[in-house]
Amino acid sequence: MENLIYSISLLLVIILIFSPSFLIYRLKKQYSEHVFTFYIVLGVIISSILMLVVAWWSYFSCEILLSHYGYDFELTMHHTERLKNVSPENLDKVKLLNQKRMGIGWPLKAIFGVIIYTPYLLIVYLLTFLYTKIRMKKKA
C-alpha cells in the first residue's frame, strides 16, 4: 500500500516538474505572437490545479495509510483508544502519519505551493528562451 501511495506521489511531482516544459513546447509549436503571455496565464492555471491535486493527495494518502494500519477516526474516542487496532510494529508510523496530517490544511498548503512554484515557471521560460537563442546562433 505504501509503495502505491509513494509512486502516485512521485508521479504527481514529476508531472508538476515537467508540465511547464511541455506547455512551452506546445505553445511554441503554434507560432503564436504572445507566447509569454499565454505561457504565464496557462502555466499559473495548470500549476494551481496540479498543486491543489498534490496538496490534497498528501492529506488523503495519510488518511488512507492510517486506515490501512488500523487507526480509528472516531471523534468521540480518546487518542489511545484510536490506536487500539494498530499493531505495535506500526505504532510509530501511525503516530508520525497522524502528526503529518495535523497542522495547516491542504488548501493553504496548495496556496503556498503555488506562490513558491510560480518563479519556477519564469525560470523554465527563461532557460527555454536562452536555449533557443543559442541554438539559432549555432545554425546561423
Side-chain angles (χ1 to χ4, degrees):
M1 181 63 90
E2 285 183 31
N3 293 334
L4 177 65
I5 288 176
Y6 292 134
S7 62
I8 292 172
S9 299
L10 181 64
L11 178 68
L12 287 173
V13 169
I14 288 171
I15 290 171
L16 195 61
I17 290 171
F18 289 111
S19 65
S21 301
F22 179 73
L23 179 65
I24 193 107
Y25 173 74
R26 296 290 291 175
L27 287 175
K28 286 200 179 235
K29 204 172 183 182
Q30 294 178 354
Y31 302 112
S32 178
E33 290 181 15
H34 305 288
V35 173
F36 181 72
T37 307
F38 289 140
Y39 171 73
I40 291 299
V41 170
L42 288 174
V44 168
I45 291 170
I46 291 170
S47 64
S48 298
I49 293 169
L50 286 173
M51 197 62 72
L52 274 172
V53 170
V54 168
W56 172 79
W57 176 251
S58 71
Y59 177 78
F60 186 66
S61 64
C62 283
E63 287 191 348
I64 290 173
L65 284 175
L66 283 172
S67 66
H68 175 70
Y69 288 130
Y71 185 80
D72 196 358
F73 289 100
E74 186 69 35
L75 291 176
T76 59
M77 293 182 172
H78 189 268
H79 182 66
T80 55
E81 292 175 357
R82 292 180 182 180
L83 298 173
K84 69 181 177 183
N85 295 333
V86 178
S87 62
E89 62 267 4
N90 294 329
L91 197 58
D92 290 334
K93 288 180 185 179
V94 168
K95 287 180 181 179
L96 183 67
L97 284 170
N98 194 26
Q99 287 176 352
K100 184 180 173 185
R101 191 173 61 107
M102 300 300 171
I104 64 172
W106 65 266
L108 191 57
K109 286 180 185 178
I111 291 170
F112 286 147
V114 169
I115 292 170
I116 293 170
Y117 184 78
T118 303
Y120 177 69
L121 293 171
L122 296 173
I123 291 169
V124 169
Y125 184 82
L126 180 67
L127 289 176
T128 306
F129 180 77
L130 291 174
Y131 176 74
T132 55
K133 287 291 182 185
I134 291 171
R135 193 169 159 203
M136 292 301 241
K137 278 187 179 180
K138 286 185 178 181
K139 284 186 177 181

